[in-house]
Amino acid sequence: MADSNILEIIDLRTHFFTDEGVVKAVDGVNLTVPEGESVGLVGESGSGKSMTAFSILRLIPDPPGKIVSGQILLRGQDLLKLPERQMRSIRGKKISMIFQEPSTSMNPSFTIGSQIEEAIRFHQEGRASDVREKALAVLRSVKIPDPRRILSQYPHELSGGMLQRVMIAIAISCEPDLLICDEPTTALDVSTQAQIITLLNELRSQRKTSFLFITHDLGVLSWICTYAAVMYAGKIVEYADIRSLIRTPRHPYTRALIGASPRLDCDRDALSSIPGTVPNLIEPPAGCRFHPRCGRAETICSSQTPSLKEEERGHWVACFTERNGDGAENA
Amino acid sequence: MELYRRFKKHSMAMVGVIVLAVLVFVGIFAPFLAPKDPYQMEFGSTLSAPSLAHPMGTDHLGRDLLSRVIYGTRVSLLVGLGSVIVAAFVGGLAGLFAGYFGRFVDIIIMRILDVVWAFPPALLALALVAVWGPSLTTVIFSIGVVSVPQYARIVRASVLSVKEKDYILAARASGISRSSIMFTHVLPNILAPLIVVATLGIATSIMIEAILSFLGLGMQPPASSWGLMISEGQKYLRTFPYYSLFPGLMIMITVFAFNAFGDGLRDAWDPKLKTQ
């Protein structure tokens, strides 16, 4: 994929051991985030996007969840082998995360200031006045008006958009190398969404932070990401740069996903939908997990699992029909 | 401020607070307020009916009942507060650890507390005092010990719901350690129910102290405790009811005041009532 990768996930498997059986939420995910780039991770609810993100930070609720196997390399260092103590110095310092619901992601009992300062103090030495200055500086960098007043306010006094800015401020307060955004705009209204995305884009270009951006919104995805991976039922089915993914999707699932999103530039009366539902991850369908819902499924699809192959330069697809249809067997 | 505004609307609770303020005042300034020495015996006027000289009458040893009731306030408040502090501290920590760490920590702590929980509180407190020997300290601790499971259960339940909140995950994602999350993020968010239960618990503790003293295993004569006074007055109930009546009334008023105060706090803190 790219020459220098900040994050490389190799064959990650995160399973949940429940009374009903083993839920294979993440099942053999391979994903790379090139240095300074923004990689999107798209998929339906329950496809394992968020669990991939939590696996990176090793925040899977255990029990019942467990990272069964795989490697997560942050600049070549395997995070899954680190002791918890060292992992704590990675969280927030090297890798930060922004969550979906800004209003529930802040502790209601403390002021905004004390929560920003807590994050800063945990990773950096410094006097109280320095820490406060730093908190003010990060609030300014996320373009919050009147940051000095905000510092002494409580989360319930701020709007969702403002809180998401504060969350971003906390996330970037220790200048992380990688920022994981777990649907950061889903809970916001559209105009606020646009502001947050613009802000994130600016931060990325200014600070050279790499992004792993989880979303189910293809519009948001194309706006902020340079690469994108499509996830279905715990597996990555397609990975490419954002242009070719949107323009020439190769995997039937990606095509269906794009077909299901509204577009301004072409005239369609009805949006298509994907028949069926996301498979049960305790007993996923054999072979390709999408085959029961796939219009192009062949016999091989129900018996063998396609692996991710580079069909074109930089365009990876896990699909048999695509390979046969385009005669790209050599990849 | 918000809390105070909502609390103020609760008129019963305000009555409770005022009564409690008076009781605390009486307890602290007992030596100045008591008209007589509570241990001073006057054998010339035993079991005398309320009069100007003795507003509540005198007991079987001629001691001034009003002064003894005033001094008894100290015992009740001390035992009530002391035992609740012991119970809320121990039970709070136990519940916090059990709820936050879960699994075997939870099982071990909660099963031990279930054993304590299995005994009727007054009976267990009675047994503990019998073992440790009756004194103010042992009464406080034994009542505290029997109340621990109640606090542990409530704190554990609150912790279980708080620890699944997004902001706990967010704190973990910013690299804060589990133990520091437990004290700095979980604890402040479970204090409200703990304080409410503690306030209501004071009333129960005062009742248990009265029971222990009544049964002779609480405060020992010549100390003046309301429960002890009811017990001593029992013998004269037919001929001289004032002896038991006044301390009984005091227990009733105090317990009512703490309950009203606790109810008011609970309602003021309950987010579901916020819209009213």
Side-chain angles (χ1 to χ4, degrees):
Chain A
M1 300 179 190
D3 293 336
S4 81
N5 295 322
I6 179 158
L7 183 81
E8 202 165 337
I9 302 176
I10 302 166
D11 198 31
L12 176 72
R13 282 166 209 275
T14 302
H15 294 176
F16 285 80
F17 298 88
T18 66
D19 291 340
E20 286 80 40
V22 181
V23 180
K24 300 176 189 79
V26 180
D27 203 20
V29 160
N30 290 288
L31 184 66
T32 51
V33 180
E35 194 86 52
E37 298 291 349
S38 169
V39 174
L41 193 55
V42 257
E44 288 167 84
S45 311
S47 58
K49 304 172 302 225
S50 296
M51 285 309 139
T52 307
F54 287 132
S55 300
I56 296 169
L57 284 171
R58 292 209 350 226
L59 288 176
I60 295 290
D62 174 20
K66 206 169 168 56
I67 299 172
V68 183
S69 65
Q71 283 178 298
I72 295 172
L73 305 174
L74 179 74
R75 297 226 164 92
Q77 184 185 32
D78 191 351
L79 297 183
L80 297 183
K81 292 207 174 73
L82 288 183
E84 176 63 23
R85 225 189 137 68
Q86 253 174 293
M87 196 58 218
R88 280 212 303 271
S89 64
I90 301 259
R91 290 186 202 123
K93 176 104 181 104
K94 303 262 192 224
I95 308 178
S96 282
M97 188 156 174
I98 301 172
F99 294 89
Q100 185 171 346
E101 276 287 346
S103 50
T104 58
S105 301
M106 301 283 292
N107 193 328
S109 311
F110 296 103
T111 59
I112 304 292
S114 73
Q115 297 190 56
I116 300 178
E117 285 165 26
E118 184 189 24
I120 296 173
R121 252 199 324 272
F122 216 84
H123 293 291
Q124 288 165 5
E125 298 279 304
R127 285 177 316 186
S129 59
D130 293 345
V131 172
R132 181 137 281 233
E133 275 312 306
K134 180 109 207 238
L136 265 177
V138 288
L139 276 188
R140 278 196 200 100
S141 71
V142 294
K143 307 218 169 70
I144 282 186
D146 201 359
R148 217 169 270 281
R149 190 172 56 91
I150 299 282
L151 278 183
S152 57
Q153 284 187 310
Y154 285 89
H156 72 267
E157 296 176 272
L158 300 186
S159 67
M162 280 305 228
L163 278 179
Q164 195 59 290
R165 281 169 196 268
V166 172
M167 289 302 296
I168 295 171
I170 292 177
I172 62 171
S173 62
C174 296
E175 285 149 23
D177 302 325
L178 177 68
L179 191 57
I180 301 175
C181 308
D182 187 4
E183 309 199 17
T185 57
T186 309
L188 306 175
D189 63 72
V190 183
S191 58
T192 321
Q193 252 182 36
Q195 291 170 6
I196 295 291
I197 299 283
T198 312
L199 173 68
L200 286 172
N201 262 332
E202 281 173 23
L203 290 173
R204 187 162 70 91
S205 53
Q206 283 164 15
R207 293 179 182 239
K208 308 271 178 284
T209 313
S210 312
F211 276 56
L212 178 62
F213 202 94
I214 296 166
T215 181
H216 54 241
D217 186 335
L218 289 165
V220 169
L221 181 84
S222 56
W223 207 353
I224 195 162
C225 298
T226 42
Y227 293 88
V230 180
M231 205 163 172
Y232 183 77
K235 284 179 184 295
I236 303 277
V237 294
E238 187 163 2
Y239 179 94
D241 64 282
I242 188 72
R243 238 174 187 316
S244 48
L245 188 94
I246 300 283
R247 296 223 173 135
T248 55
R250 301 286 297 266
H251 196 281
Y253 177 64
T254 317
R255 282 186 197 155
L257 209 58
I258 291 170
S261 28
R263 291 180 65 140
L264 283 177
D265 54 353
C266 61
D267 201 17
R268 272 191 301 201
D269 289 333
L271 293 171
S272 63
S273 65
I274 309 175
T277 52
V278 181
N280 171 2
L281 290 174
I282 294 175
E283 282 170 62
C288 172
R289 291 186 175 175
F290 188 58
H291 86 264
R293 299 170 77 184
C294 180
R296 300 170 57 178
E298 295 166 13
T299 39
I300 186 175
C301 298
S302 56
S303 55
Q304 286 182 46
T305 311
S307 56
L308 211 53
K309 290 250 161 64
E310 194 167 14
E311 298 292 334
E312 278 166 48
R313 214 181 118 70
H315 200 134
W316 299 63
V317 186
C319 181
F320 291 120
T321 62
E322 193 55 30
R323 230 162 275 167
N324 298 336
D326 292 54
E329 208 71 68
N330 55 339
Chain B
M1 282 305 100
E2 169 88 11
L3 183 73
Y4 176 68
R5 222 189 58 230
R6 271 183 278 139
F7 184 81
K8 231 171 38 177
K9 284 192 202 146
H10 205 294
S11 47
M12 272 313 228
M14 285 312 281
V15 172
V17 170
I18 293 164
V19 172
L20 286 182
V22 171
L23 285 172
V24 169
F25 179 82
V26 167
I28 292 172
F29 298 102
F32 305 102
L33 293 172
K36 302 266 162 50
D37 177 346
Y39 306 109
Q40 177 70 51
M41 293 180 273
E42 281 178 45
F43 290 107
S45 57
T46 57
L47 297 177
S48 63
S51 64
L52 274 180
H54 303 285
M56 288 187 186
T58 57
D59 67 5
H60 60 299
L61 297 174
R63 294 174 295 193
D64 181 43
L65 275 177
L66 176 63
S67 305
R68 289 185 67 74
V69 164
I70 287 174
Y71 273 85
T73 312
R74 289 185 151 185
V75 174
S76 288
L77 290 183
L78 270 178
V79 171
L81 281 174
S83 62
V84 161
I85 288 170
V86 170
F89 184 76
V90 178
L93 278 183
L96 191 60
F97 276 88
Y100 191 70
F101 290 107
R103 290 196 267 185
F104 70 95
V105 180
D106 186 23
I107 293 170
I108 292 171
I109 293 178
M110 293 324 283
R111 290 304 81 74
I112 292 173
L113 293 178
D114 280 349
V115 173
V116 179
W117 193 239
F119 294 94
L123 205 62
L124 185 58
L126 196 67
L128 288 174
V129 174
V131 172
W132 289 335
S135 77
L136 183 64
T137 333
T138 56
V139 167
I140 287 176
F141 275 91
S142 56
I143 297 175
V145 167
V146 301
S147 324
V148 162
Q150 192 188 348
Y151 295 91
R153 287 230 158 259
I154 280 157
V155 168
R156 175 177 171 275
S158 317
V159 169
L160 285 182
S161 76
V162 168
K163 80 167 180 176
E164 299 301 331
K165 291 277 192 318
D166 285 346
Y167 54 82
I168 301 299
L169 188 66
R172 292 258 286 139
S174 57
I176 298 162
S177 69
R178 279 174 71 94
S179 52
S180 109
I181 286 175
M182 180 166 80
F183 288 108
T184 59
H185 286 266
V186 178
L187 190 59
N189 286 300
I190 55 148
L191 280 182
L194 182 63
I195 291 171
V196 170
V197 175
T199 315
L200 296 170
I202 293 176
T204 319
S205 294
I206 290 174
M207 299 267 277
I208 298 180
E209 185 274 331
I211 294 169
L212 292 181
S213 296
F214 179 82
L215 293 173
L217 275 164
M219 302 308 294
Q220 296 299 303
S224 54
S225 142
W226 296 338
L228 185 63
M229 291 167 79
I230 296 176
S231 164
E232 288 168 341
Q234 193 191 195
K235 281 173 269 180
Y236 312 101
L237 212 51
R238 279 158 185 270
T239 51
F240 187 70
Y242 307 107
Y243 199 161
S244 296
L245 179 70
F246 289 115
L249 273 177
M250 288 304 287
I251 292 175
M252 198 191 83
I253 291 168
T254 314
V255 167
F256 157 78
F258 274 110
N259 278 330
F261 180 45
D263 281 346
L265 271 185
R266 187 193 55 210
D267 292 349
W269 246 315
D270 191 343
K272 281 179 222 115
L273 299 172
K274 257 183 193 171
T275 45
Q276 287 179 2

